[in-house]
Amino acid sequence: MNGRGCRESLLCVFANRGLSMTQESANATAQEVAAFRERVLRKLTYSVGKDPENASDYDWFHAVALATRDSTIDRWMDCTREAYTGGQKRVYYLSLEFLIGRLLVDSLSNLGLFEVAREALAGLDVDIDRIRLLEPDAALGNGGLGRLAACFMESMATLGVVSHGYGIRYDHGLFRQAIVDGWQHEQTETWLDFGNPWEFERSEVKYLIGFGGSVTATTNEQGEVQHFWHWAEGVRAIAYDTPIVGWRGAGVNTLRLWRARPEADFHLARFNAGDHIGAAAEEARAESISRVLYPADSTEAGQELRLRQEYFFVAASLQDLLRRHLKQRGSLDSLPEYTSIQLNDTHPAIAVAELMRLLVDVHSYEWQHAWRLTTATLSYTNHTLLPEALETWPVGLMERLLPRHMQIIYLINAYHLDNLRERGIHDAELLRSVSLIEEDHGRRVRMGNLAFLGSHSTNGVSGLHTQLMRKTVFTDLHRLYPQRINSKTNGITFRRWLYQANPQLTQLLVEHLGEEVLDEPETRLRQLEPYAEQAAFRQRFAEQRLANKRHLANVIQERLGISVDPTALFDVHVKRIHEYKRQLLNLLHTVALYQAIRSDPGGNWVPRVKIFAGKAAASYHQAKLIIKLTNDIANTINADPTVRGLLKVVFLPNYNVSLAEDIIPAADLSEQISTAGLEASGTSNMKFALNGALTIGTLDGANVEMSEQIGLEHMFIFGLTAQEVNARKQGNEYNAEAIIAGSHRLSEVLSAIRGGGFSPGDPGRYVGLVDGISWHDTFMVCADFEAYWQAQLEVEERWRDPARWWRSSVLNTARTGWFSSDRTIREYAREIWKVM
Ligand SMILES: *Cc1c(COP(=O)(O)O)cnc(C)c1O
């Protein structure tokens, strides 16, 4: 498939905030506009069932979405046919999360139809900028990991990698965050309430998934033992397909999400016998599997539901892809030649046992043959080293829910340990550490080890993360299998995070570098470097930023009623709220700055707006307290007349992909200040740099590669390195109290917060929080405070010299091409999947 097929529709993805397209393309599309308008009207009439006179904006949105979807279908079918006839290897991306956001502008601009749609609708008196905002975000993910899956789907379609995403079609995505009196409240997310125009329900594509029951073994005539799993409970998985369009409509791939339904349609007999509730209970139990993303796991029932979700989507996906392979190839012997299955973190790791079960129990493969096929087909991406995030499941729960899988895991483990003993390895400590079963805290299955052993490739998501994986979680497995671990630094799709999110900057790039920059940003963005030296260009660059900042200022005004000065430095910290991401460190700087302004109100201060956004996990009390502290600090500072607006603090509620698209192009400074060694990669760091924000950050995750590409002098890198953090944790001499005592500034900040300076109505609110960082300081907040303060001073110094600031800003955009997810996918495709 080639991406050059649509020259006539080189239409201005970048024209969507009122920028005009060239006369040439305008002429070329008059017919297209008329045709698109006709399609929308037909959809409105025959699919939505409304006439234009009394259609609501929602009706129009649905009609446009359906017309857009139609435009993908022919290409989608071509791609599907080509994949069959061409016989290419297929890539399956298994992920419990896909954080997609909205699809309307994404699909239209990738199809080159955005401007066509705008004109077509204008002719109907409908404003596309109004109706595009009606689309709910598909928030089927928590944060970076789910967003990565969405970027990968788009890049695979762009590069013509024949691929399918597999996940769960949750009724309710990630909760909607409301802020009430400064506290986070979680509200049910309802993205499906008005229907989902992008998906096709495939009622005929359904599989039965078993749970529980028992296993029996019989010996057949050949003397082979065969196992039968008599599961007790069946749940049906129904497929819902969404076409994912690549850039310029190059490829269209399928995202197949599974919905859980009861095995039997309805217990009519039971219902008629008077058991109305009982008849509905089975349905409710089955459907609970695809009810919510990440059910609360504080209870045992919640944990079990999570495991049911994992097995459910893995089992459905494997049945589906084996069926496809058998239909095309006739035998599973060739599975690894034509199939790669990428496991996005350990959530789908049960695939190792399930694929073995299908091969051995169902398709009668001999164990070792099945194991070779399994490991050659599967590969695994690790996303975290945080011990609390490494999945393990109690053996008891596994035995009850998936008895046959537990047997298989034991057997894999036995072969694995035998094999090591044969290799002369008898060190009990080593054998214990590489075992699939953890014996220390009640017996649990280690899903990370299972995924590692069951795959031919285990990759980290940045250079540093991969290096730490080799040294920490997988140190012993790495010694035994030194070839297996490899690094694939994450990336982002520029279509969404530049062309769609920042049309002004995109147009500026096209003006100076030509349209080719849209097709080959990885190489062409570098050609921007000389422009960094030109004052006139820097001026234009600053102007597009200012326009985006005005837009964000309006959003802040509308949502919070706070007015901010668009010419102030926009200092942005948006991501999940987590102690390791250190929003707290930023808050300490905010308070220190506030105190400094108060003690010298006439000083030469750089006006700043501190912008925060992010959700805390519902059960993560400390993170929720940090949100409250942000709002307490914001209320105090924003209301203080001595500050005179020189410093403003805002917390924008309900951070999601759409809000990120508004915030990131408006950022001057990007906060990437995690405790070194704890952020596996980060991807918002890349989104900001691509849009020209300067990064203040630690040498963590992909910040390291960013500093190599961009140059340390165009970022503000500070703080302890991963090695230094580790040394402080190991040696016992790290003493936060001594650091606090040695820093007047830090002591003043902490005592103001601890003493209730920002919570006069509840002066004890932050005592525990402050004592925590004073005594343990697990995340090295105190240790890095002074270095962070100094780095922030450098930020101000650079900001006061616009020529230097904007030179760095332009160079950030020019040197971020390597972080395209197209580059990442090419690396996966060549080195892991072998499809390029
Ligand atoms: C990119 C993105 C993330 C990941 O952000 P990090 O700062 O890398 O953790 C999370 N949420 C949304 C909505 C995103 O777009």
Side-chain angles (χ1 to χ4, degrees):
M1 271 173 273
N2 84 66
R4 299 290 119 69
C6 331
R7 266 309 183 222
E8 70 283 1
S9 54
L10 283 187
L11 298 176
C12 312
V13 291
F14 40 89
N16 65 0
R17 273 183 205 151
L19 304 168
S20 68
M21 54 181 184
T22 61
Q23 193 54 44
E24 222 176 352
S25 47
N27 292 339
T29 60
Q31 258 183 324
E32 273 186 284
V33 169
F36 194 85
R37 182 181 303 136
E38 202 46 46
R39 285 218 298 280
V40 171
L41 283 171
R42 289 188 67 82
K43 287 293 167 190
L44 186 73
T45 312
Y46 298 106
S47 300
V48 182
K50 284 289 183 75
D51 77 50
E53 300 302 303
N54 47 39
S56 69
D57 280 350
Y58 270 101
D59 297 328
W60 283 113
F61 163 69
H62 276 268
V64 178
L66 290 169
T68 307
R69 190 182 69 170
D70 277 2
S71 308
T72 69
I73 306 286
D74 289 337
R75 195 68 200 108
W76 193 22
M77 297 195 166
D78 286 348
C79 290
T80 308
R81 255 192 308 273
E82 280 170 33
Y84 264 101
T85 53
Q88 292 112 310
K89 187 171 183 176
R90 293 170 190 274
V91 173
Y92 296 98
Y93 198 80
L94 268 59
S95 179
L96 210 44
E97 303 189 13
F98 287 92
L99 187 52
I100 298 166
R102 293 177 176 139
L103 276 176
L104 181 62
V105 177
D106 192 66
S107 305
L108 281 172
S109 59
N110 273 7
L111 288 164
L113 287 175
F114 187 80
E115 199 55 26
V116 173
R118 172 194 296 286
E119 287 210 9
L121 291 177
L124 296 163
D125 252 348
V126 176
D127 179 1
I128 195 163
D129 287 325
R130 201 172 68 240
I131 65 159
R132 61 188 269 198
L133 299 180
L134 295 177
E135 179 176 3
D137 267 45
L140 310 184
N142 281 290
L145 174 151
R147 184 53 232 174
L148 185 76
C151 284
F152 279 7
M153 288 302 297
E154 201 265 3
S155 275
M156 289 191 285
T158 295
L159 296 174
V161 174
V162 181
S163 55
H164 306 246
Y166 278 124
I168 294 180
R169 179 183 177 276
Y170 303 104
D171 295 340
H172 305 290
L174 184 60
F175 67 85
R176 203 169 59 217
Q177 180 193 54
I179 300 295
V180 181
D181 191 26
W183 295 99
Q184 168 176 297
H185 285 236
E186 300 91 36
Q187 299 175 341
T188 310
E189 188 281 338
T190 56
W191 71 301
L192 293 173
D193 271 10
F194 293 92
N196 175 2
W198 304 111
E199 69 188 9
F200 290 90
E201 178 178 348
R202 306 290 194 201
S203 309
E204 76 288 2
V205 182
K206 55 188 175 193
Y207 298 97
L208 204 48
I209 314 299
F211 291 99
S214 57
V215 180
T216 56
T218 56
T219 307
N220 67 13
E221 286 142 24
Q222 288 83 42
E224 298 156 345
V225 181
Q226 284 186 306
H227 292 87
F228 293 94
W229 175 23
H230 312 274
W231 40 262
E233 180 193 352
V235 174
R236 223 173 261 294
I238 313 282
Y240 286 72
D241 289 349
T242 301
I244 304 290
V245 194
W247 176 236
R248 299 208 194 277
V252 185
N253 284 332
T254 306
L255 174 61
R256 175 160 282 184
L257 301 179
W258 302 104
R259 179 179 178 207
R261 298 280 294 147
E263 177 186 358
D265 282 340
F266 184 62
H267 274 271
L268 187 61
R270 236 169 125 178
F271 191 84
N272 283 341
D275 184 7
H276 304 151
I277 306 290
E282 188 192 337
E283 185 168 332
R285 183 171 159 77
E287 293 193 341
S288 67
I289 291 177
S290 55
R291 189 80 72 201
V292 292
L293 169 80
Y294 212 89
D297 57 5
S298 45
T299 65
E300 238 168 79
Q303 285 171 31
E304 174 173 333
L305 181 54
R306 175 82 173 171
L307 182 57
R308 286 162 68 89
Q309 289 185 327
E310 293 182 353
Y311 178 64
F312 166 80
F313 103 97
V314 163
S317 308
L318 289 181
Q319 286 189 57
D320 195 41
L321 68 90
L322 290 188
R323 173 197 55 79
R324 190 175 295 116
H325 181 89
L326 278 173
K327 183 172 150 203
Q328 211 172 345
R329 310 280 165 196
S331 153
L332 295 179
D333 289 357
S334 59
L335 188 68
E337 273 162 69
Y338 295 104
T339 304
S340 271
I341 301 174
Q342 189 70 36
L343 309 176
N344 194 24
D345 213 339
T346 53
H347 315 144
I350 193 68
V352 176
E354 173 68 359
L355 187 52
M356 285 300 287
R357 185 186 74 82
L358 292 169
L359 291 170
V360 172
D361 293 359
V362 179
H363 296 278
S364 305
Y365 276 83
E366 174 267 326
W367 180 274
Q368 294 302 341
H369 190 181
W371 184 244
R372 280 195 303 277
L373 294 176
T374 297
T375 53
T377 305
L378 298 177
S379 45
Y380 154 58
T381 304
N382 173 277
H383 282 272
T384 178
L385 307 172
L386 296 183
E388 70 269 24
L390 286 171
E391 276 190 310
T392 59
W393 291 108
V395 164
L397 172 59
M398 275 276 194
E399 274 170 342
R400 185 157 48 77
L401 205 61
L402 302 170
R404 178 59 183 143
H405 298 78
M406 195 59 239
Q407 290 181 343
I408 289 172
I409 289 169
Y410 277 135
L411 202 52
I412 295 172
N413 203 34
Y415 278 116
H416 161 55
L417 298 177
D418 281 353
N419 178 264
L420 297 182
R421 290 191 198 96
E422 271 165 36
R423 285 167 62 180
I425 297 163
H426 299 283
D427 178 353
E429 197 50 49
L430 178 64
L431 293 176
R432 202 170 20 249
S433 112
V434 299
S435 168
L436 295 184
I437 311 293
E438 178 185 294
E439 309 276 355
D440 302 339
H441 318 282
R443 308 185 67 230
R444 303 177 73 94
V445 181
R446 292 172 171 145
M447 302 308 275
N449 284 13
L450 179 64
F452 184 107
L453 274 184
S455 305
H456 63 283
S457 159
T458 294
N459 74 283
V461 290
S462 74
L464 176 64
H465 167 65
T466 305
Q467 195 187 320
L468 292 173
M469 260 168 72
R470 292 192 181 112
K471 282 202 208 142
T472 60
V473 264
F474 293 129
T475 178
D476 291 321
L477 281 169
H478 171 59
R479 256 199 295 152
L480 301 172
Y481 301 93
Q483 303 302 316
R484 196 158 298 179
I485 294 183
N486 62 92
S487 181
K488 298 285 169 282
T489 302
N490 282 167
I492 55 172
T493 166
F494 290 9
R495 272 73 66 180
R496 184 176 289 267
W497 296 110
L498 178 60
Y499 313 169
Q500 290 160 45
N502 199 347
Q504 280 83 355
L505 175 55
T506 305
Q507 192 180 39
L508 188 63
L509 296 174
V510 168
E511 240 176 70
H512 288 81
L513 306 179
E515 294 224 326
E516 293 79 2
V517 71
L518 301 176
D519 297 299
E520 294 158 12
E522 291 164 67
T523 49
R524 306 237 173 205
L525 274 177
R526 283 269 172 182
Q527 297 169 357
L528 203 61
E529 288 193 18
Y531 291 99
E533 313 305 328
Q534 298 180 8
F537 183 83
R538 291 196 300 264
Q539 180 67 26
R540 295 280 310 276
F541 203 85
E543 281 164 9
Q544 60 81 24
R545 174 80 48 79
L546 186 61
N548 293 326
K549 288 168 75 174
R550 287 191 206 287
H551 172 71
L552 181 59
N554 287 337
V555 170
I556 292 170
Q557 179 69 52
E558 273 167 30
R559 302 206 185 155
L560 299 171
I562 298 174
S563 75
V564 299
D565 173 5
T567 66
L569 189 156
F570 277 19
D571 173 350
V572 181
H573 203 168
V574 295
K575 49 184 75 242
R576 288 302 292 251
I577 311 293
H578 202 294
E579 286 162 283
Y580 86 80
K581 292 179 182 274
R582 295 203 295 191
Q583 282 89 0
L584 191 52
L585 179 57
N586 189 346
L587 290 173
L588 299 188
H589 172 256
T590 307
V591 172
L593 195 55
Y594 172 54
Q595 291 177 337
I597 294 174
R598 274 175 55 103
S599 64
D600 179 15
N604 178 23
W605 301 105
V606 168
R608 239 197 235 245
V609 184
K610 288 263 190 186
I611 297 166
F612 294 87
K615 295 176 183 176
S619 58
Y620 191 172
H621 300 293
Q622 195 79 337
K624 293 171 102 169
L625 189 60
I626 289 170
I627 293 176
K628 175 64 173 165
L629 177 60
T630 311
N631 285 308
D632 278 347
I633 290 173
N635 288 339
T636 308
I637 295 179
N638 297 345
D640 189 333
T642 48
V643 177
R644 293 160 299 142
L646 287 171
L647 177 61
K648 286 253 168 112
V649 183
V650 298
F651 184 95
L652 279 164
N654 202 37
Y655 185 55
N656 60 12
V657 171
S658 291
L659 187 55
E661 289 170 33
D662 281 335
I663 293 175
I664 289 168
D668 296 306
L669 185 66
S670 159
E671 298 272 356
Q672 308 298 337
I673 60 175
S674 52
T675 313
L678 297 184
E679 185 73 270
S681 161
T683 46
S684 79
N685 45 1
M686 305 166 188
K687 301 169 195 167
F688 282 104
L690 179 64
N691 282 278
L694 272 55
T695 300
I696 183 165
T698 46
L699 276 180
D700 200 14
N703 293 356
V704 176
E705 282 99 329
M706 281 171 56
S707 70
E708 288 161 7
Q709 294 281 328
I710 296 166
L712 279 169
E713 66 276 30
H714 304 293
M715 298 170 74
F716 304 96
I717 297 292
F718 73 94
L720 299 175
T721 62
Q723 231 175 358
E724 289 164 346
V725 167
N726 204 27
R728 274 166 187 65
K729 283 187 186 162
Q730 310 261 303
N732 267 330
E733 69 266 28
Y734 173 61
N735 181 346
E737 279 179 304
I739 291 178
I740 297 167
S743 162
H744 181 64
R745 200 182 332 270
L746 181 56
S747 326
E748 292 285 298
V749 168
L750 291 180
S751 66
I753 296 173
R754 191 177 189 281
F758 299 93
S759 53
D762 180 7
R765 183 176 292 149
Y766 301 113
V767 170
L769 186 75
V770 172
D771 287 348
I773 58 169
S774 312
W775 296 343
H776 317 296
D777 199 17
T778 318
F779 298 97
M780 303 283 149
V781 172
C782 297
D784 273 342
F785 177 80
E786 274 301 322
Y788 182 52
W789 175 264
Q790 290 303 325
Q792 289 283 14
L793 289 182
E794 284 174 45
V795 169
E796 298 190 349
E797 196 190 302
R798 183 91 47 109
W799 181 259
R800 287 200 182 93
D801 183 349
R804 285 185 68 216
W805 180 276
W806 291 105
R807 179 169 178 269
S808 288
S809 182
V810 172
L811 290 177
N812 265 263
T813 298
R815 297 177 178 175
T816 310
W818 191 74
F819 297 95
S820 165
S821 46
D822 296 354
R823 186 269 312 155
T824 315
I825 285 299
R826 251 185 255 113
E827 290 181 2
Y828 276 86
R830 291 187 181 135
E831 295 160 27
I832 301 178
W833 307 328
K834 316 275 194 228
V835 295
M836 266 185 177

